[in-house]
Amino acid sequence: MADWSPARYLQFSDERSRSFRDLVTRLAELLAARDVTPSDVVDLGCGPGHLTEVLRSHWPDTTVTGIDSSPAMIERAREHDRRTTYVEGDIADFAAGRLDVTGADVVVSNAALQWVPEHRDLLPLLRDRARQALAFQVPGNHDAPSHLLLREVAAREPYASALGAPVTRRATDDPVGYADLLAAPGWAVDVWETTYTHVLAGPDPVLRWISATGAQPTLHALEEADPALRARFEKDYGAALREAYPERPYGTPLAFRRVFAIASRT
């Protein structure tokens, strides 16, 4: 897949940041109950670095290392946040200890693990890299209309021939499934889910939202095949999204399910 676009990703930064704020708030509560203040945090899939302030709002003196596989995201993060060390690298490589990054008191990840093949297999490794806690959230909306329509439209011609393979469903687990994977002697597990209803403004907001994240592999593949084909796909997909997510006088509501998990040492 071509590289990510920080500018497009940050179009809905308030809405995208909300789940991370909720995750870190709960994590801070659990650590405070044990009188633990993390001295260092590793942020996996840190993106453009705009969420570091959330970590420092709870732990002002913590040392933060951000890791992301996108060169564009790392470049933007380094430009806008000089206090944090940013490393271009893969989450799987961090889990296996192949990056020049040590473990940390806390390892966090915001909406990134779903992009890692077989991410469930990595969770015990990621948990054990954390001296105090592993905390993450992933989208749980891969059967929402936005994603069902993405797969449906992409399966039509001429898009299917250009893509060469069906658009896959990026499966994430339910809270109990993550609890099963993270539970171990010496660890406490806290899991939950929340469905946010984001009210989006502007024309075709759901298309703009998913074009910056979940639809990126499809759009990049079509762009590579034929830019005109991508434009045609966006027109068809956008029309389907407008029908599934009708605009109201106050904006366009987008229901978005998120799944949260925290494993903390007891």
Side-chain angles (χ1 to χ4, degrees):
M1 189 177 82
D3 203 1
W4 291 77
S5 168
R8 296 185 73 176
Y9 182 82
L10 289 170
Q11 281 185 333
F12 299 101
S13 61
D14 288 345
E15 292 85 354
R16 295 192 196 279
S17 301
R18 184 173 174 185
S19 54
F20 187 66
R21 295 180 187 277
D22 291 348
L23 174 69
V24 176
T25 296
R26 177 55 177 159
L27 172 63
E29 292 173 350
L30 293 173
L31 295 180
R34 293 171 38 219
D35 197 27
V36 171
T37 300
S39 61
D40 52 358
V41 177
V42 168
D43 182 0
L44 299 175
C46 62
H50 62 301
L51 295 178
T52 304
E53 64 182 58
V54 177
L55 299 168
R56 291 205 171 95
S57 69
H58 291 278
W59 309 295
D61 298 323
T62 193
T63 298
V64 182
T65 300
I67 299 173
D68 202 288
S69 61
S70 163
M73 290 292 198
I74 290 295
E75 180 181 359
R76 192 273 180 193
R78 288 171 176 164
E79 289 176 356
H80 290 80
D81 180 12
R82 303 290 184 179
R83 296 180 59 193
T84 300
T85 299
Y86 289 103
V87 176
E88 184 183 331
D90 187 84
I91 291 175
D93 286 336
F94 172 80
R98 292 190 291 264
L99 295 182
D100 188 20
V101 179
T102 61
D105 286 338
V106 169
V107 176
V108 298
S109 182
N110 181 58
L113 290 175
Q114 76 276 6
W115 293 100
V116 180
E118 307 300 333
H119 74 276
R120 295 175 184 82
D121 296 339
L122 298 181
L123 289 178
L125 296 174
L126 293 173
R127 179 199 62 202
D128 292 343
R129 295 296 305 275
R131 292 187 290 271
Q132 297 294 340
L134 166 68
F136 65 88
Q137 71 84 11
V138 291
N141 67 331
H142 293 98
D143 288 325
S146 56
H147 289 65
L148 289 174
L149 289 170
L150 174 65
R151 299 193 290 271
E152 178 184 311
V153 176
R156 302 173 190 166
E157 293 297 348
Y159 314 120
S161 295
L163 291 169
V167 175
T168 58
R169 178 185 182 275
R170 292 190 176 277
T172 53
D173 220 326
D174 292 325
V176 173
Y178 285 124
D180 290 340
L181 292 168
L182 293 169
W187 291 89
V189 177
D190 187 18
V191 294
W192 72 97
E193 65 178 75
T194 299
T195 297
Y196 299 90
T197 301
H198 301 303
V199 179
L200 308 181
D204 286 325
V206 181
L207 177 62
R208 288 187 289 118
W209 173 290
I210 195 170
S211 293
T213 53
Q216 276 224 65
T218 302
L219 295 176
H220 286 148
L222 292 171
E223 176 80 19
E224 203 169 79
D226 182 353
L229 194 61
R230 170 177 172 157
R232 179 177 169 182
F233 176 86
E234 287 182 319
K235 182 178 179 180
D236 289 346
Y237 183 38
L241 289 175
R242 285 192 298 275
E243 185 175 347
Y245 298 92
E247 183 180 12
R248 267 73 165 181
Y250 55 85
T252 302
L254 170 67
F256 201 121
R257 176 177 176 255
R258 303 274 186 173
V259 179
F260 300 78
I262 300 175
S264 56
R265 293 189 186 270
T266 58

